Amino acid sequence: MTNKSTHPIKPLVAGNWKMNGLRASLAEITRLKAGLGDAAADVLICPPATLVAAMADAAAGSTLMVGGQDCHQLAAGAHTGDISAAMLRDAGASAVIVGHSERRTDHGETDLVVRSKAEAALRADLVAIICVGETADQRKAGRTLELIAGQLENSMPDMAHSATTVIAYEPVWAIGTGLTPTPADIVEVHGLMRDRLAQRFGGDGHAFRLLYGGSVKPANARDLLHLANVNGALVGGASLKADDFLGILAAYHA
Ligand code: PEP
């Protein structure tokens, strides 16, 4: 099961630091930059909002991109504690994750909200990384494909384009657990997503980057990241240490 796409898609390996990291953690960015070399993948780190500007400064002069983990769906206004897409852009971000399962669960974000956030990101010139994924119960009930198709349909804006929008398939039960789906299960879900994108966006549907996320580590990256229609990874825990993250990127070395 290898990547059989006829469209060459440059992979994206994105790290999500979640609610981890103080300014001292930027030392990891220095180590990451030193190890990047001519990475065969685009590389993005999404730190907590407090570190976006400092990380963008630390990444300057390298190919490393910096992103946010969430944005508000509106451009500005009375929304205490929230951050707009334009603010992330202004702080040096070039992308933002929307609809991560932790946001969907902790903050009750629906597909409709996620779609509005993705639209806000695109309007602010940020790449939107839209997350979808089933729970363990949904998988056990045989509802995975129906669920993912629905999330994809309803969370993706019509204005999405392969250059500006990335989809991350993250089974909720695989996040932070050390568990991963079988290669066949990943290929099945990514194949479904590719088909649905091609139906909705025509030829451009074949060019969207489809990331796999959920317990990706240096030890399993090679097995997971060369599957059909897997065009990179969204990495949580293993993105916090430069050595681990570089170990995942090594999956793209010859
Ligand atoms: C995530 O939360 O996006 C994620 C994939 O986490 P982890 O790699 O730690 O499973």
Side-chain angles (χ1 to χ4, degrees):
M1 274 179 285
T2 53
N3 201 330
K4 295 190 189 70
S5 170
T6 50
H7 296 252
I9 298 177
K10 188 173 189 194
L12 169 67
V13 180
N16 172 12
W17 279 16
K18 311 193 184 190
M19 198 170 71
N20 298 292
L22 301 174
R23 276 182 293 176
S25 319
L26 294 174
E28 294 300 325
I29 296 306
T30 309
R31 281 192 270 280
L32 187 55
K33 272 170 69 172
L36 273 186
D38 294 328
D42 286 334
V43 182
L44 170 78
I45 297 285
C46 301
T50 49
L51 288 181
V52 167
M55 191 178 285
D57 286 346
S62 76
T63 54
L64 179 65
M65 295 179 291
V66 176
Q69 298 176 10
D70 176 53
C71 65
H72 197 275
Q73 57 269 44
L74 297 178
H79 302 286
T80 303
D82 279 316
I83 294 173
S84 74
M87 289 171 185
L88 287 172
R89 176 90 206 164
D90 187 52
S94 54
V96 62
I97 300 168
V98 293
H100 190 283
S101 64
E102 287 152 17
R103 299 283 321 170
R104 290 177 185 263
T105 304
D106 296 354
H107 300 271
E109 292 186 5
T110 61
D111 287 339
L112 215 63
V113 168
V114 174
R115 182 185 182 126
S116 312
K117 290 186 172 204
E119 284 167 354
L122 299 180
R123 278 197 296 269
D125 254 345
L126 294 177
V127 168
I129 302 175
I130 302 172
C131 301
V132 297
E134 82 285 2
T135 64
D137 285 347
Q138 288 161 339
R139 177 163 280 278
K140 275 191 214 111
R143 294 187 50 223
T144 298
L145 296 184
E146 158 211 338
L147 197 281
I148 299 299
Q151 286 185 336
L152 191 65
E153 171 70 23
N154 298 322
S155 304
M156 262 187 104
D158 289 333
M159 69 200 284
H161 185 276
S162 63
T164 59
T165 307
V166 174
I167 306 298
Y169 168 54
E170 299 208 302
V172 179
W173 52 271
I175 293 178
T177 59
L179 303 173
T180 55
T182 64
D185 287 339
I186 295 175
V187 168
E188 183 179 42
V189 172
H190 280 237
L192 168 96
M193 296 196 299
R194 181 67 72 209
D195 288 349
R196 294 300 169 106
L197 290 172
Q199 279 165 22
R200 181 163 167 194
F201 297 99
D204 190 44
H206 293 279
F208 281 84
R209 293 197 271 201
L210 306 182
L211 313 186
Y212 167 74
S215 297
V216 178
K217 312 268 180 249
N220 61 18
R222 262 177 210 281
D223 293 338
L224 298 174
L225 301 188
H226 294 289
L227 299 170
N229 288 308
V230 175
N231 314 114
L234 181 53
V235 182
S239 69
L240 293 170
K241 292 280 166 229
D243 284 350
D244 291 340
F245 200 61
L246 288 167
I248 290 170
L249 279 167
Y252 291 110
H253 295 167

